Structures are given as structure tokens and as C-alpha cells.
Amino acid sequence: MSIRKRYTGLIETYRDRLPVSESTRIISIGEGNTPLIQLQNIPRLIGKDVDIYVKFEGLNPTGSFKDRGMTMAVTKAVEEGSQAILCASTGNTSASAAAYAVRAGIKAFVLIPEGKIALGKLAQTLMYGAEIIQINGNFDVGMALVKQLADHAPVTIVNSINPYRLEGQKTAAFEIVDELGTAPDFHCLPVGNAGNISAYWKGYSEYARASENLKAVTDKRPVMCGYQAAGAAPFISGKMIDHPETIATAIRIGHPQSWDKAWNAQKESGGWFDAMTDEQILAAQKMLSQFEGIFCEPASATSLAGALQDIGAGKIPEGSSIVCTLTGNGLKDPDTAISQCKDTHPVTIDATLDAVKRAILDRM
Ligand code: AN7
């Protein structure tokens, strides 16, 4: 009997492609190595010959892709002697920063827009014990403050303007190529600050370059498709937006921090940006739950919403392989989920064998 090597996180797995040395103390909670799930029912339902995979990042330790960047950013912050980290957040970054700060034994300060972060994200950030500072302003306002604060307090910023964040996040592209043996034809992502789409492009590009001397990986790179919420779509309007609004609070962002990097990914890959309405986003979220058994948060479903639209329009042709990143777990936002299922609220009946039997048989 052989014992499989214990998985100890993405830095250990890809350490030759990341800025760490033999003596670096790695701050990890076992992030990465998330499943690439092939959709079975949705392609049949839409009647298209497409191979769609979802990279379910909601299965990271704090329930979002942010953990990939946070393991790297906090590892480097600790290596550089930092005692505290700081971020502005729509929820997921704050939860991740809080957890990795605990692991490292340092302090986390998080700035969040009051009343505009999903309940699960608030719950976990409270439990991890971060210093939560609510502001009566949106994410963009918080982000601007965080950038100024760096000159006024001894803290390390762990938003995606911290270059180590994207280093960690690029490993998701490595995992996909390692698993498929090649890159997909199209890669679809929700876009907020545009750090993740930039990180994936970096990852695909590094692997493509490495293929020159390493036969195991491919020189292929996907077409990158970035999808935003219609009320928060600066990449579609071509300019920053001051009052972004969407039910997908994770991507309620009007001033993306990785503006140039993301445009570069779009241009180099021959890809595009597009906007999805809140209705399209929620429909895709529900579809994943009801037809594939995959529960992601609203913002995450923006990638599938976009893919489905563009498959329907033929912009993504039949015969294509497509990866959609599902950035966060559905459990993060129970309020939005429950309000979507108003018509299917559970019935309450007498606790008798007869009543339960009737309830089941009536619904067969
Ligand atoms: C679920 O947590 O910006 O385009 O502060 O939580 O890399 O910004 C979250 C972003 C997509 C957008 N999906 O990624 C934050 C934050 C989910 C997210 C995005 C976010 P980027």
C-alpha cells in the first residue's frame, strides 16, 4: 500500500515558480488544489456541443480564491517582518486576510463597506477575530483610504495591489494546465478589481513560456473572457464608475485596481469583456445549483452567465473547451440564496408518519 503525499498548500506545490526560498516560513491553510468539475447537465440543457469545466474556488479554506493570493502575501509580509496586515474588501479578501493573519500570529485590519458584505463573510471574519472597521462608503472609497494609510501606519497592504497576491493566484492556471494537459480554448472569469484575470493570464503565460524547455506543459494559452455586473462594469464603459451597484456585492467595484494588467490580458489573448445583468447572474447561480449540484456565490456565477451568453451567440464556438472560475462558495451569501428560492420555501406539516408519507408521495 502506498501512502499519498499529504497536500500542504500551493506554495509547496509550485515553490519553483514562486518567490520563496528554502528558509521562508510558509503561512498556509492548505489552499489550492481545488476541483476542476466537468459540467454534465448544462451543456445538454443548452443543446450545445461544448466542454465546460468549472474551477470551484469556493472550496478553498476560507471559501474563496483569495486564499491563493493571501498565502503568498502573508508569507512575504511575515518574512519581511510585518506585524499587521490591512485591506479594503467587499468581503472575501477580508475573510481570507483575517484567517491567514491568525495562522501567522499577526494582526489583521479590514475596511468593509457597511451593510454591503454578504452575511457569511462577515460571520467568518468576526470568528477569525480581525479588527473590522466598517465605513460609510463603498469598496473603492475604502481602497483609496487603504492606499493612503500605508504611509501613516506600520501595516502591509494585502489587497491585490500587493504583487505577491497575483503570484499566488496565478497557480490556479497551473493547476488547470497540469490537470487537462493543455490550456482550455476559453477561460471565463468574473471581474471586479481585475486582479484574478490578470493573475490567470500571468500563470498561463508563464507555463506557455516554460514549455520551450519542458515538454510536459503546453504553449497554448486561452482566450480570456472577463464578465462584470452590468451596474459595476467599468471595463465595458471604458472608464471608472463612482457608484457601482449589483446584487453580486463581491464585485460591486467601480475603480478596478488592475486596470492596465487586465486590458493587457484581453488584448494579448484576443479576449473580451462584457456585462451581465443581475438577473443573468442569479439565473446562472441557480442553474449551477439545480442542474449540477454546485453552489457558488452570485459574483462567481457571472463567469458562467457570460459563457452561456457567448456560447449561445456563437462567439464561443461549438467544439470549444471552456473553463469558468467559480470564485467563491454559495454559503458566503445565504440571504441572496434564500430570497431567490421564495417560491420553494419548505412546507411545515405534522410530525406524523402519515403526514410525512403523504407529503413525499404528493411530490414524487
Ligand atoms: C467571489 O474581497 O475584491 O477581479 O475585496 O470576492 O480579482 O477583484 C473580491 C472580489 C470575483 C473579483 N468573485 O475578483 C474583495 C474583492 C468573488 C470575489 C471577485 C471577487 P477580482
Side-chain angles (χ1 to χ4, degrees):
M1 195 179 79
S2 69
I3 294 169
R4 194 146 61 99
K5 192 181 174 299
R6 200 167 64 85
Y7 181 80
T8 50
L10 61 85
I11 295 180
E12 286 289 7
T13 306
Y14 292 109
R15 64 160 49 238
D16 56 332
R17 298 190 175 281
L18 293 168
V20 287
S21 72
E22 283 303 312
S23 59
T24 306
R25 175 186 158 210
I26 292 169
I27 312 298
S28 168
I29 320 179
E31 60 294 314
N33 196 27
T34 56
L36 187 63
I37 309 164
Q38 188 171 31
L39 299 189
Q40 294 178 342
N41 299 318
I42 292 177
R44 198 152 32 85
L45 204 73
I46 61 173
K48 297 283 185 181
D49 172 28
V50 280
D51 201 9
I52 311 177
Y53 299 87
V54 294
K55 180 75 170 157
F56 194 18
E57 292 287 280
L59 295 182
N60 275 297
T62 77
S64 89
F65 74 98
K66 303 288 181 182
D67 297 343
R68 289 185 187 273
M70 210 54 73
T71 182
M72 197 63 243
V74 174
T75 290
K76 294 306 279 188
V78 168
E79 187 169 64
E80 289 160 9
S82 181
Q83 292 295 314
I85 57 175
L86 167 70
C87 66
S89 179
T90 57
N92 279 328
T93 301
S94 59
S96 187
Y100 284 80
V102 167
R103 198 74 169 165
I106 61 174
K107 245 182 135 63
F109 294 94
V110 306
L111 253 68
I112 55 172
E114 189 188 7
K116 290 290 182 181
I117 84 165
L119 197 61
K121 301 173 190 181
L122 187 61
Q124 62 184 150
T125 308
L126 285 164
M127 283 297 280
Y128 296 133
E131 298 288 344
I132 302 179
I133 303 163
Q134 299 200 71
I135 57 166
N136 54 4
N138 65 21
F139 167 83
D140 300 305
V141 173
M143 190 66 230
L145 286 169
V146 159
K147 284 174 164 176
Q148 293 171 43
L149 276 160
D151 297 331
H152 295 272
V155 291
T156 302
I157 299 177
V158 293
N159 281 104
S160 55
I161 56 170
N162 178 326
Y164 298 122
R165 280 277 311 276
L166 300 200
E167 287 299 308
Q169 285 170 218
K170 75 183 180 186
T171 60
F174 296 165
E175 289 177 11
I176 291 165
V177 173
D178 284 345
E179 209 162 312
L180 296 178
T182 183
D185 297 323
F186 295 87
H187 193 118
C188 304
L189 285 143
V191 172
N193 274 303
N196 213 25
I197 195 169
S198 305
Y200 271 88
W201 185 242
K202 188 171 201 288
Y204 282 122
S205 298
E206 285 183 16
Y207 250 29
R209 276 198 298 280
S211 73
E212 286 162 16
N213 44 28
L214 220 148
K215 283 215 179 63
V217 282
T218 176
D219 64 354
K220 180 178 164 184
R221 296 185 294 176
V223 172
M224 303 298 291
C225 309
Y227 299 106
Q228 299 208 276
F235 281 100
I236 290 79
S237 61
K239 58 179 196 313
M240 303 295 178
I241 287 171
D242 285 337
H243 301 288
E245 259 326 324
T246 169
I247 195 158
T249 50
I251 51 173
R252 189 172 167 268
I253 295 167
H255 288 242
Q257 299 298 312
S258 294
W259 184 255
D260 294 338
K261 286 192 184 78
W263 279 116
N264 178 61
Q266 176 267 320
K267 289 195 186 85
E268 279 189 14
S269 74
W272 58 83
F273 294 107
D274 205 348
M276 299 296 120
T277 63
D278 282 359
E279 291 70 31
Q280 281 177 296
I281 291 168
L282 294 179
Q285 184 199 16
K286 203 161 187 182
M287 223 174 157
L288 273 169
S289 297
Q290 301 201 327
F291 296 106
E292 302 287 354
I294 299 165
F295 184 30
C296 68
E297 68 172 288
S300 307
T302 311
S303 58
L304 182 71
L308 292 178
Q309 174 193 275
D310 289 338
I311 291 165
K315 209 167 164 184
I316 296 177
E318 290 206 53
S320 297
S321 62
I322 303 142
V323 172
C324 295
T325 299
L326 301 181
T327 44
N329 198 299
L331 297 170
K332 294 264 190 181
D333 191 352
D335 293 323
T336 306
I338 290 169
S339 69
Q340 267 200 88
C341 299
K342 276 201 225 54
D343 305 335
T344 49
H345 261 332
V347 290
T348 305
I349 56 166
D350 286 341
T352 64
L353 177 62
D354 195 47
V356 177
K357 189 175 79 183
R358 215 170 333 112
I360 291 172
L361 292 178
D362 283 353
R363 287 168 178 75
M364 289 292 278

